[in-house]
Amino acid sequence: MNAYPQTIKFPKLRRLGRRVSALIVLLQKSPYIQFLLPEAKLLSSVATMDAVKMTIATVAGLGAFDSVSGATEVVQISPNNGSDTVSSDTDVSLTFVFQAIGISGHRVDHFSVTGTLPPGLTLNPGVENRSFGSISGTPTQAGTYSDIKIQAWRSAGDSGDYAEGTFSIVVAAPAGAATITQQPASITINSGETTSLDVSADGTPPFTYQWYQGASGVDTTPVGNDSSSFTTPALSATTSYWVKVSNAANPSGDNSNNATVTVVDLFETWRTNYYTTQELADPLVSAPTADSDKDGVNNQNEYIFGTSPITSNVQLTPNVSMDETHVNISFTTVIASGVGYEGKTRHYAIEVSDDLQQSGDWPVLQGYSDITATGLTVNAQVPINTDPKKFYRVRSWLTP
Ligand SMILES: [Ca+2]
Protein backbone atom coordinates (compact mmCIF):
# COMPACT_ATOMS: atom_id res chain seq x y z
CA MET A 1 0.00 0.00 0.00
CA ASN A 2 2.69 2.47 0.97
CA ALA A 3 4.50 2.21 -2.27
CA TYR A 4 4.29 5.86 -3.12
CA PRO A 5 6.38 8.98 -2.87
CA GLN A 6 6.75 8.83 0.89
CA THR A 7 8.90 5.72 0.58
CA ILE A 8 11.50 7.26 -1.66
CA LYS A 9 14.82 7.00 0.12
CA PHE A 10 15.55 10.69 0.18
CA PRO A 11 18.22 10.44 2.91
CA LYS A 12 20.28 8.23 0.70
CA LEU A 13 19.83 10.58 -2.22
CA ARG A 14 20.79 13.49 -0.04
CA ARG A 15 24.12 11.86 0.80
CA LEU A 16 24.88 11.92 -2.90
CA GLY A 17 25.07 15.71 -2.68
CA ARG A 18 25.30 17.53 -5.98
CA ARG A 19 24.87 14.34 -7.93
CA VAL A 20 21.26 14.00 -6.83
CA SER A 21 19.75 16.12 -9.55
CA ALA A 22 21.73 14.30 -12.16
CA LEU A 23 20.48 11.01 -10.75
CA ILE A 24 16.86 12.15 -11.03
CA VAL A 25 17.36 13.11 -14.60
CA LEU A 26 18.87 9.72 -15.20
CA LEU A 27 15.85 8.06 -13.66
CA GLN A 28 13.54 10.03 -15.86
CA LYS A 29 15.34 8.70 -18.86
CA SER A 30 15.15 5.13 -17.61
CA PRO A 31 12.81 2.53 -19.07
CA TYR A 32 10.47 3.26 -16.21
CA ILE A 33 9.52 6.52 -17.81
CA GLN A 34 8.62 4.75 -20.99
CA PHE A 35 6.69 2.33 -18.88
CA LEU A 36 4.49 5.03 -17.44
CA LEU A 37 4.12 7.48 -20.27
CA PRO A 38 1.51 5.45 -22.11
CA GLU A 39 -0.52 5.40 -18.93
CA ALA A 40 -0.30 9.13 -18.51
CA LYS A 41 -1.58 9.35 -22.04
CA LEU A 42 -4.35 6.94 -21.24
CA LEU A 43 -5.37 8.93 -18.23
CA SER A 44 -5.28 12.26 -19.96
CA SER A 45 -7.79 10.95 -22.44
CA VAL A 46 -10.36 10.30 -19.74
CA ALA A 47 -9.25 12.19 -16.70
CA THR A 48 -9.04 15.55 -15.11
CA MET A 49 -5.71 17.33 -14.72
CA ASP A 50 -5.62 16.10 -11.14
CA ALA A 51 -5.46 12.55 -12.30
CA VAL A 52 -2.58 13.29 -14.59
CA LYS A 53 -0.74 15.06 -11.80
CA MET A 54 -1.19 12.07 -9.56
CA THR A 55 0.22 9.82 -12.22
CA ILE A 56 3.30 11.94 -12.40
CA ALA A 57 3.63 11.77 -8.63
CA THR A 58 3.65 8.02 -8.98
CA VAL A 59 6.55 8.25 -11.39
CA ALA A 60 8.53 9.85 -8.62
CA GLY A 61 7.74 6.89 -6.42
CA LEU A 62 8.67 4.33 -8.97
CA GLY A 63 11.80 3.15 -7.25
CA ALA A 64 9.87 2.25 -4.14
CA PHE A 65 7.06 0.84 -6.24
CA ASP A 66 9.45 -1.66 -7.72
CA SER A 67 10.82 -2.62 -4.36
CA VAL A 68 7.44 -4.02 -3.31
CA SER A 69 7.62 -7.75 -3.31
CA GLY A 70 4.92 -10.28 -2.87
CA ALA A 71 2.11 -7.75 -2.77
CA THR A 72 -0.75 -8.39 -5.09
CA GLU A 73 -3.28 -5.64 -4.66
CA VAL A 74 -5.01 -2.79 -6.38
CA VAL A 75 -4.50 0.56 -4.69
CA GLN A 76 -5.96 3.97 -5.19
CA ILE A 77 -3.81 6.66 -6.74
CA SER A 78 -6.36 9.45 -7.08
CA PRO A 79 -8.19 11.29 -5.65
CA ASN A 80 -7.32 9.80 -2.21
CA ASN A 81 -3.91 8.25 -2.67
CA GLY A 82 -3.53 5.00 -0.77
CA SER A 83 -6.99 5.09 0.79
CA ASP A 84 -9.74 2.51 0.54
CA THR A 85 -12.23 5.35 0.29
CA VAL A 86 -12.79 7.43 -2.82
CA SER A 87 -14.20 10.90 -2.13
CA SER A 88 -16.37 12.62 -4.68
CA ASP A 89 -19.19 15.10 -5.03
CA THR A 90 -22.57 14.85 -6.69
CA ASP A 91 -22.60 16.34 -10.19
CA VAL A 92 -18.82 16.92 -10.13
CA SER A 93 -16.58 15.04 -12.55
CA LEU A 94 -14.57 12.28 -10.88
CA THR A 95 -11.66 10.21 -12.06
CA PHE A 96 -10.79 7.41 -9.68
CA VAL A 97 -7.35 6.17 -10.67
CA PHE A 98 -6.05 2.89 -9.32
CA GLN A 99 -2.92 0.87 -9.81
CA ALA A 100 -2.17 -2.82 -9.62
CA ILE A 101 1.02 -3.44 -7.74
CA GLY A 102 3.09 -6.52 -7.15
CA ILE A 103 2.13 -8.18 -10.40
CA SER A 104 4.97 -9.71 -12.31
CA GLY A 105 6.04 -7.31 -15.03
CA HIS A 106 3.56 -4.72 -13.74
CA ARG A 107 1.23 -5.32 -16.59
CA VAL A 108 -2.48 -5.95 -16.44
CA ASP A 109 -4.47 -7.43 -19.29
CA HIS A 110 -7.67 -5.87 -18.03
CA PHE A 111 -9.53 -4.69 -14.97
CA SER A 112 -12.97 -5.75 -13.86
CA VAL A 113 -15.33 -4.28 -11.31
CA THR A 114 -17.85 -6.00 -9.08
CA GLY A 115 -20.29 -4.16 -6.85
CA THR A 116 -22.57 -1.28 -7.67
CA LEU A 117 -20.87 1.85 -8.96
CA PRO A 118 -22.52 5.20 -8.28
CA PRO A 119 -24.81 6.11 -11.18
CA GLY A 120 -22.83 8.10 -13.73
CA LEU A 121 -19.52 6.29 -13.21
CA THR A 122 -18.07 3.63 -15.47
CA LEU A 123 -14.91 1.60 -15.71
CA ASN A 124 -12.89 2.89 -18.62
CA PRO A 125 -12.29 0.41 -21.37
CA GLY A 126 -9.04 -0.01 -23.23
CA VAL A 127 -6.71 -0.60 -20.30
CA GLU A 128 -4.99 -3.64 -21.75
CA ASN A 129 -1.36 -4.10 -20.90
CA ARG A 130 -1.33 -1.45 -18.19
CA SER A 131 -0.89 -1.35 -14.47
CA PHE A 132 -3.22 1.63 -14.10
CA GLY A 133 -6.93 1.82 -14.61
CA SER A 134 -9.64 4.30 -13.88
CA ILE A 135 -13.31 4.72 -13.19
CA SER A 136 -14.66 8.04 -14.27
CA GLY A 137 -17.76 10.05 -14.96
CA THR A 138 -20.02 12.41 -13.06
CA PRO A 139 -21.78 10.78 -10.12
CA THR A 140 -25.41 11.82 -9.95
CA GLN A 141 -26.57 10.19 -6.74
CA ALA A 142 -25.13 11.01 -3.32
CA GLY A 143 -24.40 8.07 -1.07
CA THR A 144 -21.79 5.58 0.05
CA TYR A 145 -21.16 2.81 -2.42
CA SER A 146 -19.31 0.09 -0.55
CA ASP A 147 -17.71 -3.19 -1.52
CA ILE A 148 -16.60 -2.07 -4.96
CA LYS A 149 -14.01 -4.67 -5.82
CA ILE A 150 -11.53 -3.95 -8.57
CA GLN A 151 -9.66 -6.90 -9.94
CA ALA A 152 -6.61 -6.68 -12.18
CA TRP A 153 -6.26 -9.73 -14.37
CA ARG A 154 -2.99 -10.80 -15.86
CA SER A 155 -4.60 -12.65 -18.75
CA ALA A 156 -7.67 -12.33 -20.90
CA GLY A 157 -10.86 -13.45 -19.24
CA ASP A 158 -11.69 -13.19 -15.57
CA SER A 159 -9.57 -16.14 -14.49
CA GLY A 160 -6.00 -16.89 -13.57
CA ASP A 161 -3.69 -14.54 -11.68
CA TYR A 162 -5.15 -11.36 -10.41
CA ALA A 163 -4.67 -8.59 -7.88
CA GLU A 164 -7.58 -6.91 -6.20
CA GLY A 165 -8.62 -4.07 -3.97
CA THR A 166 -11.92 -3.17 -2.38
CA PHE A 167 -13.07 0.44 -2.19
CA SER A 168 -15.94 2.59 -1.02
CA ILE A 169 -16.89 5.45 -3.29
CA VAL A 170 -18.46 8.21 -1.23
CA VAL A 171 -20.50 10.68 -3.24
CA ALA A 172 -21.13 13.77 -1.13
CA ALA A 173 -24.27 15.79 -1.59
CA PRO A 174 -23.80 19.33 -2.90
CA ALA A 175 -24.15 22.25 -0.51
CA GLY A 176 -27.77 22.86 0.39
CA ALA A 177 -28.79 19.61 -1.24
CA ALA A 178 -31.95 17.91 -0.08
CA THR A 179 -30.83 15.08 2.18
CA ILE A 180 -33.21 12.85 4.05
CA THR A 181 -32.64 13.11 7.80
CA GLN A 182 -35.56 11.03 8.99
CA GLN A 183 -36.63 8.05 6.97
CA PRO A 184 -40.29 7.08 6.63
CA ALA A 185 -40.86 4.35 9.22
CA SER A 186 -42.25 0.92 8.64
CA ILE A 187 -45.48 0.21 10.47
CA THR A 188 -48.00 -2.57 11.06
CA ILE A 189 -51.70 -1.89 10.49
CA ASN A 190 -54.89 -3.89 10.33
CA SER A 191 -56.33 -4.89 7.01
CA GLY A 192 -58.60 -2.20 5.65
CA GLU A 193 -56.86 0.61 7.51
CA THR A 194 -54.82 3.51 6.18
CA THR A 195 -51.69 4.99 7.68
CA SER A 196 -49.47 8.00 7.16
CA LEU A 197 -45.79 7.95 6.32
CA ASP A 198 -43.54 10.94 6.99
CA VAL A 199 -40.11 12.03 5.87
CA SER A 200 -37.83 14.85 7.01
CA ALA A 201 -35.05 16.41 4.97
CA ASP A 202 -32.25 18.92 5.42
CA GLY A 203 -31.10 21.35 2.78
CA THR A 204 -32.25 24.52 1.15
CA PRO A 205 -36.02 24.72 0.72
CA PRO A 206 -38.27 24.47 -1.13
CA PHE A 207 -38.30 20.70 -1.41
CA THR A 208 -40.14 18.52 -3.84
CA TYR A 209 -41.50 15.23 -2.55
CA GLN A 210 -42.51 12.33 -4.74
CA TRP A 211 -43.78 9.17 -3.10
CA TYR A 212 -43.70 5.80 -4.81
CA GLN A 213 -45.16 2.41 -4.19
CA GLY A 214 -42.63 -0.41 -4.45
CA ALA A 215 -38.99 -0.93 -3.58
CA SER A 216 -36.74 2.08 -3.06
CA GLY A 217 -35.41 3.36 -6.36
CA VAL A 218 -38.19 1.79 -8.44
CA ASP A 219 -40.16 4.77 -9.70
CA THR A 220 -42.77 3.06 -11.86
CA THR A 221 -45.65 3.62 -9.44
CA PRO A 222 -45.80 7.22 -8.19
CA VAL A 223 -48.40 7.83 -5.49
CA GLY A 224 -49.54 10.63 -3.23
CA ASN A 225 -48.98 14.37 -3.34
CA ASP A 226 -45.98 16.70 -3.21
CA SER A 227 -45.83 16.52 0.58
CA SER A 228 -43.55 15.32 3.37
CA SER A 229 -46.46 13.14 4.46
CA PHE A 230 -48.24 10.41 2.54
CA THR A 231 -51.49 8.77 3.54
CA THR A 232 -51.90 5.30 2.13
CA PRO A 233 -55.18 4.05 0.74
CA ALA A 234 -56.96 1.40 2.80
CA LEU A 235 -54.67 -1.60 2.52
CA SER A 236 -55.49 -5.28 2.51
CA ALA A 237 -51.97 -6.52 1.76
CA THR A 238 -48.49 -5.62 2.96
CA THR A 239 -47.14 -2.81 0.77
CA SER A 240 -43.84 -0.93 0.55
CA TYR A 241 -43.40 2.75 -0.18
CA TRP A 242 -40.49 5.16 -0.55
CA VAL A 243 -40.04 8.84 -1.26
CA LYS A 244 -37.64 10.97 -3.27
CA VAL A 245 -36.87 14.39 -1.84
CA SER A 246 -35.27 16.89 -4.20
CA ASN A 247 -34.51 20.59 -4.39
CA ALA A 248 -32.64 23.00 -6.63
CA ALA A 249 -29.27 21.91 -5.22
CA ASN A 250 -30.15 18.23 -5.60
CA PRO A 251 -32.40 17.91 -8.62
CA SER A 252 -31.83 14.16 -8.86
CA GLY A 253 -33.04 13.89 -5.27
CA ASP A 254 -32.34 11.76 -2.25
CA ASN A 255 -34.11 8.41 -2.17
CA SER A 256 -35.49 7.18 1.11
CA ASN A 257 -35.33 3.65 2.41
CA ASN A 258 -38.29 1.35 2.01
CA ALA A 259 -41.11 1.92 4.46
CA THR A 260 -43.03 -1.32 4.68
CA VAL A 261 -46.64 -1.18 5.77
CA THR A 262 -47.30 -4.66 7.12
CA VAL A 263 -50.97 -5.47 6.95
CA VAL A 264 -52.41 -7.84 9.53
CA ASP A 265 -55.70 -9.45 8.55
CA LEU A 266 -57.65 -9.53 11.82
CA PHE A 267 -60.50 -11.48 10.25
CA GLU A 268 -57.92 -14.14 9.45
CA THR A 269 -56.73 -14.06 13.06
CA TRP A 270 -60.32 -14.39 14.30
CA ARG A 271 -61.07 -17.22 11.85
CA THR A 272 -57.95 -19.12 12.87
CA ASN A 273 -59.10 -18.92 16.49
CA TYR A 274 -62.28 -20.91 15.75
CA TYR A 275 -61.41 -23.46 13.10
CA THR A 276 -58.99 -26.37 12.85
CA THR A 277 -56.29 -26.40 10.21
CA GLN A 278 -58.39 -28.81 8.20
CA GLU A 279 -61.45 -26.57 8.48
CA LEU A 280 -59.42 -23.49 7.57
CA ALA A 281 -58.43 -25.22 4.34
CA ASP A 282 -62.09 -25.83 3.47
CA PRO A 283 -63.80 -22.72 2.13
CA LEU A 284 -67.22 -24.32 2.51
CA VAL A 285 -66.61 -24.25 6.25
CA SER A 286 -64.44 -21.27 7.03
CA ALA A 287 -64.56 -18.81 4.13
CA PRO A 288 -66.04 -15.35 4.85
CA THR A 289 -69.19 -16.33 2.97
CA ALA A 290 -69.60 -19.75 4.66
CA ASP A 291 -72.11 -20.40 7.42
CA SER A 292 -70.77 -23.45 9.21
CA ASP A 293 -73.16 -23.22 12.18
CA LYS A 294 -76.11 -22.74 9.84
CA ASP A 295 -77.58 -19.85 11.79
CA GLY A 296 -78.14 -17.75 8.69
CA VAL A 297 -75.24 -15.43 9.49
CA ASN A 298 -72.11 -15.90 7.37
CA ASN A 299 -68.66 -15.89 8.92
CA GLN A 300 -67.84 -12.36 7.81
CA ASN A 301 -70.95 -11.08 9.55
CA GLU A 302 -70.37 -13.27 12.62
CA TYR A 303 -67.02 -11.50 12.92
CA ILE A 304 -68.65 -8.09 12.59
CA PHE A 305 -71.44 -8.94 15.04
CA GLY A 306 -69.02 -10.56 17.52
CA THR A 307 -70.81 -13.90 17.49
CA SER A 308 -69.31 -17.38 17.28
CA PRO A 309 -69.16 -18.87 13.78
CA ILE A 310 -69.32 -22.41 15.18
CA THR A 311 -72.21 -22.04 17.64
CA SER A 312 -75.62 -21.07 16.39
CA ASN A 313 -76.58 -18.09 18.51
CA VAL A 314 -78.24 -14.91 17.47
CA GLN A 315 -77.21 -12.39 20.10
CA LEU A 316 -78.00 -9.44 17.97
CA THR A 317 -81.69 -10.06 17.34
CA PRO A 318 -83.37 -6.83 18.33
CA ASN A 319 -86.48 -6.95 20.45
CA VAL A 320 -89.33 -5.17 18.73
CA SER A 321 -92.60 -4.33 20.42
CA MET A 322 -95.44 -1.92 19.79
CA ASP A 323 -97.75 0.06 22.01
CA GLU A 324 -100.46 2.49 21.01
CA THR A 325 -98.11 5.31 20.19
CA HIS A 326 -94.65 3.87 19.56
CA VAL A 327 -92.57 1.11 18.08
CA ASN A 328 -89.98 0.08 20.65
CA ILE A 329 -86.71 -1.38 19.38
CA SER A 330 -84.03 -2.56 21.80
CA PHE A 331 -80.82 -4.51 21.51
CA THR A 332 -77.68 -4.95 23.54
CA THR A 333 -74.44 -3.63 22.10
CA VAL A 334 -71.39 -5.88 22.22
CA ILE A 335 -67.98 -4.27 22.71
CA ALA A 336 -65.39 -5.44 20.17
CA SER A 337 -62.80 -7.35 22.19
CA GLY A 338 -60.80 -10.55 22.17
CA VAL A 339 -58.84 -12.30 19.44
CA GLY A 340 -59.19 -10.57 16.08
CA TYR A 341 -60.56 -7.31 17.45
CA GLU A 342 -57.33 -5.59 18.48
CA GLY A 343 -57.84 -1.87 17.96
CA LYS A 344 -61.36 -2.37 16.60
CA THR A 345 -64.52 -0.54 17.63
CA ARG A 346 -67.98 -1.92 16.92
CA HIS A 347 -70.75 0.42 15.78
CA TYR A 348 -74.47 0.05 15.23
CA ALA A 349 -77.15 1.90 13.32
CA ILE A 350 -80.91 1.41 13.17
CA GLU A 351 -82.18 1.58 9.63
CA VAL A 352 -85.71 1.93 8.44
CA SER A 353 -87.50 1.27 5.14
CA ASP A 354 -91.01 0.68 3.91
CA ASP A 355 -89.64 -1.90 1.47
CA LEU A 356 -88.18 -5.07 2.95
CA GLN A 357 -86.57 -5.85 -0.39
CA GLN A 358 -84.72 -2.54 -0.59
CA SER A 359 -81.10 -3.28 -1.44
CA GLY A 360 -78.03 -1.55 -0.09
CA ASP A 361 -78.03 0.66 2.94
CA TRP A 362 -81.42 1.72 4.18
CA PRO A 363 -82.08 5.22 5.46
CA VAL A 364 -80.97 5.51 9.06
CA LEU A 365 -83.38 6.24 11.85
CA GLN A 366 -82.68 9.77 12.99
CA GLY A 367 -80.63 9.77 16.17
CA TYR A 368 -79.44 6.17 15.68
CA SER A 369 -77.05 6.53 12.78
CA ASP A 370 -73.84 5.64 14.65
CA ILE A 371 -74.02 3.99 18.06
CA THR A 372 -70.66 2.99 19.53
CA ALA A 373 -70.84 -0.35 21.35
CA THR A 374 -70.62 0.08 25.12
CA GLY A 375 -72.07 -3.24 26.28
CA LEU A 376 -75.26 -1.38 27.25
CA THR A 377 -78.73 -1.80 25.81
CA VAL A 378 -80.05 0.64 23.22
CA ASN A 379 -83.75 1.48 23.45
CA ALA A 380 -85.28 3.29 20.50
CA GLN A 381 -88.83 4.58 20.55
CA VAL A 382 -90.28 5.46 17.17
CA PRO A 383 -93.61 7.28 17.02
CA ILE A 384 -96.21 5.41 15.00
CA ASN A 385 -97.47 7.38 12.05
CA THR A 386 -99.94 6.67 9.30
CA ASP A 387 -97.60 4.63 7.12
CA PRO A 388 -99.13 1.26 6.40
CA LYS A 389 -95.88 -0.59 7.11
CA LYS A 390 -92.36 -0.02 8.27
CA PHE A 391 -89.39 -2.33 8.46
CA TYR A 392 -86.53 -1.82 10.88
CA ARG A 393 -83.16 -3.45 11.05
CA VAL A 394 -79.93 -3.03 13.00
CA ARG A 395 -76.71 -2.78 11.07
CA SER A 396 -73.28 -3.32 12.65
CA TRP A 397 -69.78 -2.50 11.47
CA LEU A 398 -66.25 -2.34 12.76
CA THR A 399 -63.73 0.47 12.62
CA PRO A 400 -61.07 1.04 11.72
CA1 LIG B 1 -73.04 -18.58 11.08
Side-chain angles (χ1 to χ4, degrees):
M1 286 290 288
N2 296 319
Y4 301 107
Q6 64 269 32
T7 59
I8 296 173
K9 292 168 182 169
F10 282 116
K12 186 178 178 183
L13 294 176
R14 213 169 278 125
R15 281 197 299 276
L16 294 174
R18 289 176 59 86
R19 295 176 60 189
V20 168
S21 57
L23 179 61
I24 290 172
V25 171
L26 183 63
L27 271 174
Q28 287 176 343
K29 288 180 177 176
S30 74
Y32 295 123
I33 293 297
Q34 292 166 11
F35 174 95
L36 279 160
L37 274 178
E39 282 146 4
K41 188 178 176 185
L42 161 78
L43 292 167
S44 66
S45 67
V46 297
T48 64
M49 284 305 292
D50 282 346
V52 178
K53 273 189 269 180
M54 288 310 300
T55 308
I56 293 166
T58 308
V59 173
L62 198 58
F65 167 77
D66 269 7
S67 73
V68 174
S69 62
T72 52
E73 57 184 333
V74 174
V75 297
Q76 181 177 183
I77 303 302
S78 173
N80 307 107
N81 193 0
S83 173
D84 294 336
T85 299
V86 181
S87 302
S88 64
D89 296 294
T90 305
D91 300 328
V92 175
S93 174
L94 167 72
T95 299
F96 164 30
V97 182
F98 44 83
Q99 179 181 27
I101 62 173
I103 290 185
S104 174
H106 307 294
R107 285 293 187 271
V108 174
D109 177 82
H110 68 284
F111 290 95
S112 67
V113 177
T114 57
T116 303
L117 290 175
L121 295 184
T122 53
L123 174 69
N124 295 301
V127 295
E128 293 83 358
N129 203 24
R130 314 289 182 198
S131 64
F132 288 85
S134 67
I135 287 171
S136 65
T138 301
T140 57
Q141 185 72 51
T144 297
Y145 300 81
S146 307
D147 298 325
I148 293 171
K149 183 185 289 184
I150 297 172
Q151 290 175 302
W153 301 92
R154 180 185 287 181
S155 307
D158 294 353
S159 64
D161 292 342
Y162 67 90
E164 68 177 27
T166 302
F167 303 91
S168 289
I169 300 181
V170 178
V171 182
T179 306
I180 291 173
T181 53
Q182 187 178 330
Q183 299 282 342
S186 294
I187 190 171
T188 297
I189 65 170
N190 295 326
S191 181
E193 293 179 17
T194 71
T195 189
S196 288
L197 304 174
D198 298 288
V199 67
S200 298
D202 264 354
T204 305
F207 299 115
T208 298
Y209 302 88
Q210 178 61 61
W211 294 84
Y212 297 94
Q213 181 178 326
S216 181
V218 178
D219 59 4
T220 50
T221 311
V223 294
N225 301 316
D226 181 6
S227 168
S228 62
S229 181
F230 166 63
T231 300
T232 71
L235 296 174
S236 59
T238 296
T239 309
S240 287
Y241 298 94
W242 64 281
V243 62
K244 180 191 287 289
V245 184
S246 54
N247 66 357
N250 185 9
S252 57
D254 191 11
N255 292 356
S256 78
N257 297 341
N258 283 332
T260 300
V261 181
T262 301
V263 174
V264 175
D265 186 340
L266 285 178
F267 174 76
E268 190 63 26
T269 306
W270 174 86
R271 202 175 73 107
T272 304
N273 194 40
Y274 282 105
Y275 293 110
T276 65
T277 303
Q278 192 176 357
E279 289 169 336
L280 289 169
D282 184 352
L284 293 176
V285 174
S286 60
T289 53
D291 180 15
S292 61
D293 58 0
K294 298 183 168 51
D295 59 1
V297 181
N298 70 30
N299 289 338
Q300 179 69 55
N301 288 341
E302 299 262 21
Y303 171 62
I304 293 170
F305 293 151
T307 51
S308 166
I310 57 174
T311 305
S312 180
N313 54 359
V314 190
Q315 298 173 4
L316 190 63
T317 304
N319 294 309
V320 180
S321 63
M322 281 179 68
D323 55 32
E324 290 183 358
T325 56
H326 289 84
V327 175
N328 302 298
I329 303 165
S330 72
F331 62 93
T332 302
T333 63
V334 180
I335 295 172
S337 66
V339 174
Y341 294 103
E342 292 81 358
K344 293 285 190 186
T345 301
R346 183 173 288 113
H347 304 254
Y348 298 93
I350 300 174
E351 297 179 339
V352 58
S353 176
D354 52 14
D355 177 8
L356 188 60
Q357 304 302 319
Q358 181 175 347
S359 60
D361 288 351
W362 291 4
V364 292
L365 188 63
Q366 188 176 5
Y368 299 94
S369 63
D370 185 357
I371 305 154
T372 299
T374 59
L376 300 177
T377 298
V378 173
N379 293 296
Q381 288 194 308
V382 187
I384 295 174
N385 59 23
T386 57
D387 292 340
K389 58 184 178 183
K390 282 288 182 189
F391 300 95
Y392 297 92
R393 70 181 187 184
V394 174
R395 186 163 63 88
S396 181
W397 69 96
L398 296 169
T399 58

